[in-house]
Structure formats: structure tokens, C-alpha cells
Amino acid sequence: MLARTIAEIVEFTTTLLALAGFGYSLFALWAARSFLKPEAPARGDFCPPVTILKPVKGLDPGMDEAFASHCRQEYAGEYEILFGVSSLDDPAVAAIERLKAAFPERSIRVVECPENLGPNGKLSNLVQMLPEARYDHFILNDSDISVGPKYVARMMAPMADARVGLVTAPYRGRAEASFGSRLEALGIATDFFPGVLVARYIERGIRFGLGSTLAFSRLALVSSGGFEPLVTQLADDYELGARIAKAGFRVHLSHEVVETSIPRYKFGEFAAHQLRWARTVRASRPGGYFGLVVTYGLAWATLNVIASAGNPVSLALFSVVFLTRLGMALGIGAGILGDRQVMRYLWMLWPRDVIALGLWAWAYASDTVVWRGESFKLRRGELVSESASRRNSEPAGR
């Protein structure tokens, strides 16, 4: 009797959550429709000089081509590329030297950033790079980001409006030949970016940044408090956008799509990376993270089929949820982001969503993240090393 009651409760709960997932997929498609409205035409006379900031560490897949794509820009103004490394012995320096030899007409410089200013090495480098920048408009992105030839022009265009303090860009993942890499690319295209579009629609704009690209003015950066407060933050891209928005500037989500290279993750590496990402989102947007429970409609519909022993109603519900989930994946992932891999790996959508629900729940089990081989505790989005956390928790006098 008790087992039957539990099964009925699970069946009822998963029915509601599967229906919520169905509604979410439809809402995401509606939000995508809103995003597809044409952007305002760019002002041809607004081409400010730009410093592209690229903190780097080690070698990434496709790094040479990613770097080269930044040198093929069709931009009427001047721009420079500033690379920041913790040491001139870093292997990335050789890749930068190859870039300089291939594009001698471009202004490309390397800045050594020897000081360790906090646990976020990227931000530590940026603090030390900024004084070397020649210009007052910046584009910040990672070493594995590949861009199109009009990238700089399209990132700068919205900033002709002085109210726009930051421009950020959608991105898709280029997967390597491993199950974990393909799962992550699929998640970016069919889960992460739909969530961004939903947040943009609900909040009537975007109030955070995406790590794929952060384009901003020196005025907006200074008004937000600069890079220094971010050296302890894990979600530095999110925080920079949020702080610029809080300073009174608008954040613009561009239609320009960039591409990131995803490592050849083994499944365990994929799960660890996703878990770190999940705990980062939970620390940055706790309410929004809890709300993600409704986005796993396909996983909930699967559990509903199991709880109901496969009755016809649950199978019909699964079919409807599955079709709307496919529609969202194809409409946003393949349609807006132009990710051709979505069609190829569409069969992985079901296992990916089931795994994602498990990782969503697992993120609540701990505040620990592993980043660059070191364990940290997340405290309101800030990184605190576990060794420091243990010392602070020990009784005085021990």
C-alpha cells in the first residue's frame, strides 16, 4: 500500500514537471522569436579604436586558428590584440609568436603578468594587462574562441549608443571525437542558450555577460568597479555584466555567434566540468538555478513513464514533451546558433537531458568546486581555497 502511494505521488509530481518542461520548450521558442527581431543598423561612423584582451594559459585545441581569426577582421577602425601570460615560459607564447609572424601588419603584444592577485588567474592577468592597453574600448574573450571577419565591427556597433556599457555574444561549441565533448556541445546549443533567451525575455533584457565575449568601454568598466573585485569570483563574466548593468548601463546580446573549442572530455571530466558550471550558476543566480527544475521536461517525462509502468497517458505525454524538446533544439541550436552538430548528435539529446537532471540535483550536495586542479569552496560566488576554509573553521587556540 505504501509503495503504491509513493508511486502515485511520484507519477503525479513527474506529470506536473513534464508538463512544465513542455511549457518551457514552447516559451523558449517564443523567446527566440523575440530575439530574432532585426538589430538596429550600425552607424558607419562609429569605429572606435579597440584593444582585444586575451589572457592565456597553456595550449588549447585549435588555438592557432582561433588566434588567426582575430587578425582577419574587416574593421574600419584600429585595433590591437593584447595577450596576457603569467610567465614568458608559457607554451602559449610560441603560438603568439607564430601569429605575429603570420600577421605582421597587426598590432600584437604580449604582457607578462607575474603577480598572483587572487584565485581567478584570468582576472589576475587582466588587472595587470589593463595598464598596457592603448585604447578605451575593449573586447575580452578566451583563447579558444574563433570569430567571424565582422566580429569586432558587430561588437562595437551597439556601443554607438552611450547607454550600452557591455555587448556579449552567443556561442556554439565545436566538439572533439568523444562522448563527453559532444554532450557538452549539445548542452550549449540546446540547453544553455535557450535558458539565456528565456532570461532575456522574462527580465526584459540581459543583465549579465557570457564568457564567449565581453565588449565594454573603459567608462563602463571603471563605473562597475574594475577588474580588481573579480579576482576572487569564479563566474567573472557573469559578474562583470551584472556589475556594469547595476552601474546603470545596458547590456546588449549580439546576434554575432562565436565558436568555442571543447576539449576531448572523458565522461568523468565532462561531469566534473558540468558540475562546476552548475555550482557556479547556483552561486550566482540561486533563484534562477532552482527554476531550472522545469527545464528538464524530457527527463521528468521518462521518470513518469517508469512511475506509471508505461501506461498510455504517460507514453503520450513523453511523446509530446519529446517533440517539443526536439523543436527547441533544432529551432535554437541549429537555427539561431547555426550549430550543424545538433542534427548529427540529436540522438544524444535524451541521455544528455537525463544526465543533466542528475547533475542539477548533485550540485546541491556541496559547495566545493575543483578548478585548475585545486579545490575551492564557493561563498556567494567567491572562491575560497579549501585549506583556508578549514583554517577559518577551526576553533581559536587549536
Side-chain angles (χ1 to χ4, degrees):
M1 187 67 179
L2 178 60
R4 182 178 177 182
T5 302
I6 292 173
E8 289 175 350
I9 292 172
V10 171
E11 183 181 354
F12 176 74
T13 304
T14 53
T15 297
L16 291 181
L17 289 169
L19 288 170
F22 165 74
Y24 172 79
S25 293
L26 293 179
F27 187 66
L29 287 168
W30 182 261
R33 180 176 176 271
S34 172
F35 174 71
L36 286 174
K37 292 177 181 177
E39 291 187 290
R43 267 179 45 187
D45 61 338
F46 186 76
C47 302
V50 178
T51 295
I52 299 177
L53 299 168
K54 292 188 79 70
V56 295
K57 182 178 176 63
L59 300 175
D60 292 312
M63 177 183 274
D64 284 359
E65 178 53 33
F67 285 176
S69 69
H70 291 72
C71 296
R72 303 189 187 108
Q73 293 301 301
E74 299 171 7
Y75 186 59
E78 297 181 8
Y79 72 95
E80 64 172 351
I81 307 176
L82 208 60
F83 292 93
V85 293
S86 299
S87 167
L88 294 178
D89 294 328
D90 192 295
V93 173
I96 298 167
E97 292 302 322
R98 290 194 297 271
L99 185 74
K100 292 167 73 172
F103 297 93
E105 72 280 10
R106 294 298 179 203
S107 175
I108 301 169
R109 292 184 290 141
V110 178
V111 178
E112 187 176 17
C113 310
E115 294 184 66
N116 181 6
L117 304 177
N120 189 321
K122 181 176 83 172
L123 266 295
S124 181
N125 282 9
L126 283 168
V127 171
Q128 297 168 76
M129 292 166 65
L130 193 63
E132 300 297 324
R134 293 173 178 156
Y135 306 128
D136 290 331
H137 284 81
F138 306 99
I139 296 175
L140 167 61
N141 62 27
D142 291 333
S143 59
D144 62 349
I145 295 292
S146 297
V147 301
K150 297 185 182 297
Y151 170 73
V152 173
R154 288 174 176 165
M155 290 303 104
M156 288 297 108
M159 299 180 75
D161 182 346
R163 294 172 297 177
V164 176
L166 184 139
V167 181
T168 193
Y171 64 101
R172 59 178 177 258
R174 184 174 65 252
E176 295 291 326
S178 76
F179 185 64
S181 184
R182 290 165 180 167
L183 281 178
E184 181 147 322
L186 192 64
I188 291 170
T190 68
D191 185 23
F192 174 74
F193 190 60
V196 171
L197 293 179
V198 168
R200 174 183 177 272
Y201 188 88
I202 292 174
E203 298 175 9
R204 298 184 179 181
I206 186 170
R207 293 178 177 82
F208 50 88
L210 306 179
S212 54
T213 288
L214 300 167
F216 49 91
S217 65
R218 192 182 296 270
L219 174 61
L221 178 64
V222 171
S223 300
S224 71
F227 287 138
E228 288 84 352
L230 302 178
V231 296
T232 60
Q233 295 286 328
L234 180 56
D236 52 86
D237 45 6
Y238 173 90
E239 279 295 326
L240 182 61
R243 293 179 188 212
I244 287 176
K246 192 174 181 180
F249 293 91
R250 284 172 45 197
V251 177
H252 178 82
L253 180 61
S254 174
H255 286 197
E256 178 76 357
V257 179
V258 302
E259 188 170 83
T260 183
S261 181
I262 299 174
R264 194 186 297 263
Y265 287 131
K266 296 178 181 177
F267 182 78
E269 294 170 326
F270 157 77
H273 186 249
Q274 289 290 303
L275 191 60
R276 190 186 79 208
W277 200 351
R279 287 177 178 160
T280 301
V281 175
R282 181 168 67 85
S284 301
R285 293 169 64 93
Y289 184 77
F290 180 77
L292 291 177
V293 68
V294 304
T295 68
Y296 304 113
L298 192 52
W300 293 123
T302 301
L303 292 174
N304 183 254
V305 170
I306 295 170
S308 65
N311 69 38
V313 174
S314 70
L315 291 173
L317 177 61
F318 178 90
S319 299
V320 170
V321 172
F322 183 65
L323 288 173
T324 54
R325 180 71 176 97
L326 286 181
M328 183 176 74
L330 294 172
I332 297 177
I336 294 179
L337 294 181
D339 191 340
R340 298 176 183 177
Q341 299 169 117
V342 171
M343 288 291 292
R344 194 182 316 158
Y345 303 132
L346 205 57
W347 65 271
M348 298 171 65
L349 196 61
W350 177 80
R352 189 260 157 210
D353 282 9
V354 172
I355 292 166
L357 175 59
L359 291 171
W360 173 85
W362 191 10
Y364 281 103
S366 171
D367 292 323
T368 299
V369 296
V370 179
W371 194 40
R372 296 184 177 180
E374 186 177 352
S375 292
F376 296 92
K377 290 286 187 181
L378 276 175
R379 296 286 183 263
R380 296 182 179 178
E382 291 196 347
L383 291 163
V384 180
S385 70
E386 284 209 310
S387 56
S389 180
R390 284 194 296 269
R391 284 197 302 270
N392 292 337
S393 65
E394 288 178 356
R398 176 172 290 186

